[in-house]
Amino acid sequence: MNILVLGSGQLARMMSLSATHLDLHVLAYDVSTKKVVNPVTGQLSEQSLSQAIASSCAITAEFEHIPHDVLEQCSLSGKFYPGAQAIATGGDRAKEKALLDKAAVKCAPYKLITEKQHFLDAVEQLALPMVVKTCQAGYDGKGQWRVKSVEDIESIWLEMAEFLSTGTTLSPHSIIAEKMIPFDREVSIIGVRDRNGQCKIYPLTENQHTDGVLTLSIAGKEKNDIQQQAEDAFNALANSLNYVGVLAIEFFDVQGELLVNEIAPRVHNSGHWTQQGCHTSQFENHMRAISGLPLGSTTLIRPTAMINVLGQQSIPSTVLTVDGVTSHWYGKTAKPGRKMGHINVSANSLHELGEKLGELAEFLPEEYYPGVLATGHQLILN
Amino acid sequence: MNILVLGSGQLARMMSLSATHLDLHVLAYDVSTKKVVNPVTGQLSEQSLSQAIASSCAITAEFEHIPHDVLEQCSLSGKFYPGAQAIATGGDRAKEKALLDKAAVKCAPYKLITEKQHFLDAVEQLALPMVVKTCQAGYDGKGQWRVKSVEDIESIWLEMAEFLSTGTTLSPHSIIAEKMIPFDREVSIIGVRDRNGQCKIYPLTENQHTDGVLTLSIAGKEKNDIQQQAEDAFNALANSLNYVGVLAIEFFDVQGELLVNEIAPRVHNSGHWTQQGCHTSQFENHMRAISGLPLGSTTLIRPTAMINVLGQQSIPSTVLTVDGVTSHWYGKTAKPGRKMGHINVSANSLHELGEKLGELAEFLPEEYYPGVLATGHQLILN
């Protein structure tokens, strides 16, 4: 069976590598070159997009900002998962908030902005400091502002107005103001829903971001009550979207209460640890779900951490001297800040995981791999 | 880094799938078509064998019976692992027995045969019933005879003589007679040795054969003393060959004493369970070893069984409804008895593994998947 993935980056690549043993053959559509390629070898396929759509049993996407015509063509085939509505929701914060409200899932207080008065109202109602984000674009910390004091308003409004003016009638631009919540930490839940509506959910992941980009995740720390909150949110949102495939939800943990930060209608960086921490990874489960196969186990086998490799030319092979470490290289050309790969490390206990992070920190300088040593210490102390 | 594998079957395919995340790119040389191919997609490479040898950082093989000229060309490159001597030993039972004797590793009493008198001597000294095998060929039960009574001698000798006569001065044929040992079961050990001579060894695997072909393996049952015997044999043989990569040794368990049956200088069917039962699979560890990377953990994470899929057109997708099951399809054209894929199943205990085998037996008819139900029962009772 053939699978077509829109987007040909590392997520398509890992979907392919996780699906071959199930007799699923993944091709990827590179939206920038408009070519169909093998996402592992990069080799051009002889198939056009239309041919690849026709020959696939299922189509999916590795990102939300898919050209409108491509998304429509895939949707019309009736084989596109998780579905155009889910993709549109994941790519538009205004739609995302509407979904959260509809599904009665909690998030931080927010206000939509399409003109200056809305911005001024937001400042008044949500109070400063406040985060302001573009609704229709933005990824990993881009397209967002922090309004710290009333002096910031005019200069930030100028940038916001520029973004709003670039919208069209067909796809109007909007901006969202969110109350800045003094959260304790960021966590995320990854789950999968099959064509019959059955859901399987991985354990909650604790995430560390540096300059708005994920740098480290840990799975295996969570207590039942907080896991349950996340699962309730997952079920409500996935069912509301009649979702098929892997869905990721990021939360702020505010003294034990989870508030949704954002949702991603796809496999997610904070679920990469599932490649070594679970029997069935998020990639394999996404492939299983969209192709109509039974879902695999999402139970944690061992506490596992993931360390992102950002902008580096390679992963030091010395990390492989630490027992329970697997490195994942994406085969891309290095650019500053670019996601180049990740390192998974598993252990039999959180304490042992802390020790292993400590060992890894010797090979992973703090400058490029922030938080590895500190996280290791924390896990050992707890 | 590029790796070249001699042979383009499922072992090369799984080596490739297990190495891509380490930034290792596997090409395979199909000895029948004499073409270099991608072992996953089957796509022809533009490289000739000589070019592929030149562009690889390491070369290995997925089977022992490699054409002499190809093996020599690869050896001369200085990049061939586990080494020509190991391959020659694995492909010739006479050399194998000589190695066992040299390394002082126990096997069943045997006698080499190159003429009829040797055969008659063997019948007298080893006693009937007796197993007789060709030394230079034979795979999965082919090229062997069971001599049950003196009446069999003449007819079997005719077949043996035909094999002996096809040898050449450069590669003479011989036959080995082995005393038939009333063994309790068959087990195997898979281990890996790196370029510096460090060894890591997986837990012992219990194997079930049907008509001479492996049908089921179980890992996670063994006691320390028998594991130690197997590890001692592994270390002695791997060190004696100055081996680099994964080496498999099959044993007869005779009331707790292990006698070597045969060795395979490669990743092995009885180690396929390591894909789900260990942090680092035999395939990844073989790739790590030959490319000079640190070895990964060979510790058992969870008891795991492997069921071979022989001659079937597909693997029933219903097996994936059982938690902890992963199916592996090799993408080959089905022929009776051909190894088409395998099914791995992991559980948190041997008892639970038994229950899962019981569940799987509902989807896997005894006729095609012998021993699944019975093995499940045994694990539950023990």
Side-chain angles (χ1 to χ4, degrees), chain B residues 264-317:
Chain B
R266 53 173 167 84
V267 291
H268 192 261
N269 198 166
S270 70
H272 289 1
W273 66 267
T274 60
Q275 291 171 311
Q276 268 70 45
C278 293
H279 189 86
T280 310
S281 74
Q282 65 165 347
F283 301 102
E284 181 173 338
N285 258 332
H286 187 61
M287 295 288 100
R288 288 192 188 198
I290 65 171
S291 54
L293 293 172
L295 301 180
S297 170
T298 51
T299 306
L300 183 100
I301 296 177
R302 299 201 293 165
T304 299
M306 186 228 53
I307 301 159
N308 257 347
V309 179
L310 300 168
Q312 302 295 299
Q313 298 285 343
S314 65
I315 301 175
S317 64

Side-chain angles (χ1 to χ4, degrees), chain A residues 13 17 20-23 25 38 40-41 43-44 200 276 279-280 284 288 293-297 299 301-302 317-318 320-321 323-329 331 344-346, chain B residues 13 17 20-23 25 38 40-41 43-44 200 276 279-280 284 288 293-297 299 301-302 317-318 320-321 323-329 331 344-346:
Chain A
R13 176 187 173 95
L17 290 173
T20 306
H21 64 85
L22 296 172
D23 199 24
H25 310 279
N38 178 320
V40 177
T41 64
Q43 227 158 355
L44 282 183
K200 287 203 176 188
Q276 268 70 45
H279 189 85
T280 310
E284 180 173 339
R288 288 192 189 198
L293 293 172
L295 301 179
S297 170
T299 306
I301 296 177
R302 298 202 294 166
S317 64
T318 44
L320 298 177
T321 60
D323 210 64
V325 166
T326 306
S327 60
H328 296 261
W329 183 250
N344 282 342
V345 51
S346 300
Chain B
R13 176 189 173 95
L17 290 172
T20 306
H21 64 87
L22 296 173
D23 199 23
H25 311 279
N38 178 320
V40 178
T41 65
Q43 228 158 356
L44 281 182
K200 287 202 175 189
Q276 268 70 45
H279 189 86
T280 310
E284 181 173 338
R288 288 192 188 198
L293 293 172
L295 301 180
S297 170
T299 306
I301 296 177
R302 299 201 293 165
S317 64
T318 44
L320 299 176
T321 60
D323 211 63
V325 166
T326 306
S327 59
H328 295 262
W329 183 250
N344 282 343
V345 50
S346 300

Side-chain angles (χ1 to χ4, degrees), chain A residues 162-222:
Chain A
E162 197 191 326
F163 172 75
L164 290 173
S165 70
T166 53
T168 63
T169 321
L170 205 70
S171 90
H173 276 181
S174 55
I175 284 172
I176 201 160
E178 288 174 314
K179 190 174 171 70
M180 221 156 104
I181 301 287
F183 58 85
D184 302 309
R185 56 182 191 144
E186 296 178 85
V187 296
S188 62
I189 196 95
I190 312 284
V192 60
R193 187 172 179 274
D194 72 12
R195 293 186 186 176
N196 305 317
Q198 197 212 344
C199 292
K200 287 203 176 188
I201 304 177
Y202 291 97
L204 207 66
T205 311
E206 183 178 296
N207 301 313
Q208 294 175 25
H209 292 81
T210 307
D211 301 328
V213 180
L214 181 68
T215 42
L216 202 151
S217 293
I218 307 167
K221 284 180 69 173
E222 304 309 321

